[in-house]
Amino acid sequence: MSTASNISGTEKRAIASLASLYALRMLGLFMVLPVMAVAGADFEGATPELLGLAIGAYGLSQALLQIPAGALSDYFGRKPIIVVGLLIFALGSFIAANADTIYGIILGRFLQGCGAIASAVMALVSDLTREEHRMKAMASIGASIGLSFSVALVLGPVLVNLGGLQLIFIITGILSLSGIALMLYLVPTPARKKHRDGSAVISEVFKQLGNGQLWPLNIGIFILHALMVAMFVAIPQQLIAAGLTLSQHAWMYLPVLLIAFVLMVPFVIIAEKKRQMKAIVIAALAIMIIALVLMSQASGVWAWAIALGVFFWAFNIMEATLPSWLSKVAPAGAKGSAMGVYSTLQFLGAFAGGLMGGWLNNHYGIEGLFLILAAAVFAWAVL
């Protein structure tokens, strides 16, 4: 094997540091997910709908700014845009930490989303890695997101028990500021260059919006993140009703997530190695529908543990396979733009899920919420 084909020390440092940066930021966004619906109910003005909005508000600002921030990083450099984004994210965290009303929480969450650095980080990965190692780098970023999500579901209930939502937001702000130090001192500085497959090009974005081959995947990631956020508007109260205190929720999520991860791995290997991407995605959709129906009828701790395990099994498969599928079907030279559209729909889904989850739970109850979500997944499977 030639030296040129080996991953260099600089590439390893770039991948490790950027994956860590991404994980720190996503950890801060996700930690409120399993606790906001319960801990946020004590804030002045809180309603089920506004609590849902507080969970998903970051998705709106992320969706609006994701592509523009990536484009700005082409002109001003990746690092300055990422540092500014982390500062805005920290500001939103500290505003939420000092909020007395649910509206202050919503404002803080919206500002967190304004620190939209995902596209700039992905572009920086492309700048710092050679093409033959880029998929490894993207896979490492994806793994860091999955890990941060799992850690957040476990850590959120523990932290809220120690110091409420305020402690979560303070830690989130500190993590964001530490991310700035990581960016400035550990991430290598690339030469000024652009990769059309690494960042979105505005003119190309409009072309990809008309690419019908990509829309089933774009709609899919919208639905996936909408239902993930919508679920957590209702799940914490249901676990409490089943006999678990909020601080005990972590011990429900931990084994469930570990088992779901182990079950996911062989499916992802089959999808990639055996070129069975579509079949595996359809199978995951069927598993997810079963999980949502189980949730609509769950009442005890074991019933919820099984339903959540089945759901996260399917969710992990989808999170791992959909971006890979997109990268395979997006036109050469337009992958960055296609991913920009995909990421925008992903964050819009989180925002819609927050709004929809609170409203559906308030008007149709737990059974109606999960059956409607199951119907949405079924419609996507047909598409």
Side-chain angles (χ1 to χ4, degrees), residues 220-278:
I221 199 64
F222 176 91
I223 292 174
L224 189 65
H225 280 257
L227 70 89
M228 190 266 288
V229 172
M231 281 170 44
F232 279 98
V233 175
I235 284 175
Q237 296 100 322
Q238 295 303 311
L239 295 182
I240 288 172
L244 294 176
T245 64
L246 189 56
S247 62
Q248 293 173 324
H249 290 191
W251 310 116
M252 160 79 84
Y253 296 131
L254 182 59
V256 161
L257 289 166
L258 288 174
I259 293 170
F261 178 81
V262 171
L263 291 174
M264 171 268 291
V265 171
F267 281 79
V268 174
I269 292 173
I270 292 169
E272 292 287 350
K273 301 293 186 182
K274 305 292 185 181
R275 299 180 182 273
Q276 296 294 319
M277 191 75 70
K278 186 172 183 177

Side-chain angles (χ1 to χ4, degrees), residues 85 160 204 219 230 282 314 332 358 366:
V160 84
E204 190 63 47
I219 292 171
I282 294 296
I366 188 73

